[in-house]
Amino acid sequence: MHLIKNKNLILNSSFVNGEWLVSDSTFEVFNPATGKAIAQISEVTSLEVENAINSAAKAFEEWKLTSYQQRSDILLKWQKLLREHSQDLARILTSEQGKPLSEAVGEILHSADYIKIYAEQAHLFIEPINQDAPLNQQAKIYRKSIGVVTAITPWNFPCSMVARKAGAALAAGCSFVLKPSELTPLSALALAKLGEQAGIPAGVFNVVVGSNAQAIGEIFTSHPKIAKFSFTGSTIVGKRLLAQCANGVKRTAMELGGNAPFIVFEDADIDEAVEGAWVAKFRNSGQTCVTANRFIIHKNIKQEFVKKLIEKIKQLKMGCGFDSENSLGPLVNQRAIDKISGLVNKAKEEGANILLGGHSFEKDDCKKGTFFEATVIDNVTPQMEIFHKEIFGPVVTLIEFKCEEEAIRLANQTESGLCAYAYTKNEKIISVLNQQLNVGMLGINTARLSNPSAPFGGVKQSGMGREGGSYGIEEYLDYQYVCIR
Ligand code: ADP
């Protein structure tokens, strides 16, 4: 944290109704590259969480009446401040999350892009829609801000997950109460500081930080003043929160886990596919919901693909994200290491071959860091546990196919449906993939899907709702049909 120039961005308590709360009880945040504590954070109390929601409800009454232009101006200032402070924000992010600094800078700029897009697109929803109506009637459809939104975000993208939700909600005229992951609360608090500076009115954007996620989650999903609950995280926690929302019939958005297939057809450009595999698998050490989880490769090109991929992986340097030579950072904590080691060992027992890596890794300079080697596992089958689990780490699993139908069947053989990647030059195959892959997002000959204007989200157990562009804003609006005679 010593590398951060603007110390005002280092905050250690909840931000509620424009005030920074303090308490005696604290929890620690660790740098996963070193295992060292980097901050002591004040624990929020249940009463303060309720106060945050009540403040948001009060602030909503005025915020929803502001003009689109006022909201847009504030959001544009906010995103500008993110850009101005991108280096410091990235250092905060790398300190608490571990990813290489260059990736952290990318995440900050991407967050700013999301807020900018929302600021520019909210005007699309001002005008009522005139609908066809019988004689002597006028039918108008108004879009109204839905109200107070609560959100829980994960640790893998501690800045962009917040920007993606809060930017859209605020653009739509909603007020917002956030609980970031207790593993990475510092980025969200720095965002709140910059939001305050940008002129977001008190109570419109609140951040509560605490280590008791379950207790905060219960209030976030049940409080009577909440209109919508938005979650990004694991499927198992998402299901539980969805059930909690049912009682109050809260609107929900769920961005849950993925199990992305990465299919390489026989006619693919192998070098491009290897490059894409590398991006889709090793960005953020494989800790993203859109990471390629299962590499489904045509049998005639598999040997070449694997050889080239392993050569490329061997160039990866693993270590602390602050060293610019390193492109593979640590995993978030020991729990992640244990989970991945367990999956890899089980796959071995079930008959898979470890071609590379397979172990946690100790760096001389970061003894307590939670690193896991880049790993490649061959002969994986749908009968194995690893085929069905979201690995969330730098592990490539290889599955062979012989024909197009088999590739599609294998790709769809999962409860998840977030995204898929495919490499082929064949237009016919591309069109079949569009029709038959059950996913919310599909990358053809590219692993770089990210686009703040596009709808991000999944189908099946990967969740519901979309973030990004006008689609994201629409999630925070309700339709009201008015019939005038
Ligand atoms: P992961 O397993 O990748 O850490 P989680 O789904 O556990 O993902 O965490 C994502 C977010 O959900 C974090 O902010 C975490 O604090 C929160 N969370 C975890 N468990 C619960 C719960 N029972 N209720 C509410 N929030 C939770």
Side-chain angles (χ1 to χ4, degrees), residues 152-156 179-183 210-218 221 229 231-238 240-241 244 256 332-333 335 339 390 392:
I152 294 182
T153 48
W155 48 265
N156 58 345
K179 187 205 86 67
S181 168
E182 59 279 19
L183 303 178
S211 60
N212 191 343
Q214 189 176 336
I216 300 173
E218 271 163 23
T221 49
F229 172 68
F231 177 72
T232 298
S234 59
T235 305
I236 185 160
V237 173
R240 179 194 288 197
L241 293 167
Q244 287 173 207
L256 309 178
V332 69
N333 56 18
R335 195 161 66 94
K339 179 192 138 189
E390 185 177 30
F392 237 58

Side-chain angles (χ1 to χ4, degrees), residues 246-290:
N247 202 31
V249 197
K250 309 290 186 199
R251 254 176 78 174
T252 55
M254 293 278 151
E255 206 262 275
L256 309 178
N259 184 1
F262 187 103
I263 315 172
V264 186
F265 289 89
E266 197 178 359
D267 69 325
D269 180 320
I270 305 288
D271 292 332
E272 277 183 15
V274 167
E275 179 64 31
W278 194 76
V279 172
K281 184 70 250 185
F282 295 104
R283 189 171 63 107
N284 203 11
S285 299
Q287 301 172 110
T288 87
C289 51
V290 292

Side-chain angles (χ1 to χ4, degrees), residues 34 49 135 313:
T34 61
V49 175
L135 196 63
I313 292 173

Side-chain angles (χ1 to χ4, degrees), residues 157-176:
F157 290 94
C159 185
S160 62
M161 294 295 135
V162 178
R164 223 153 77 168
K165 293 181 193 299
L170 266 55
C174 296
S175 56
F176 200 83

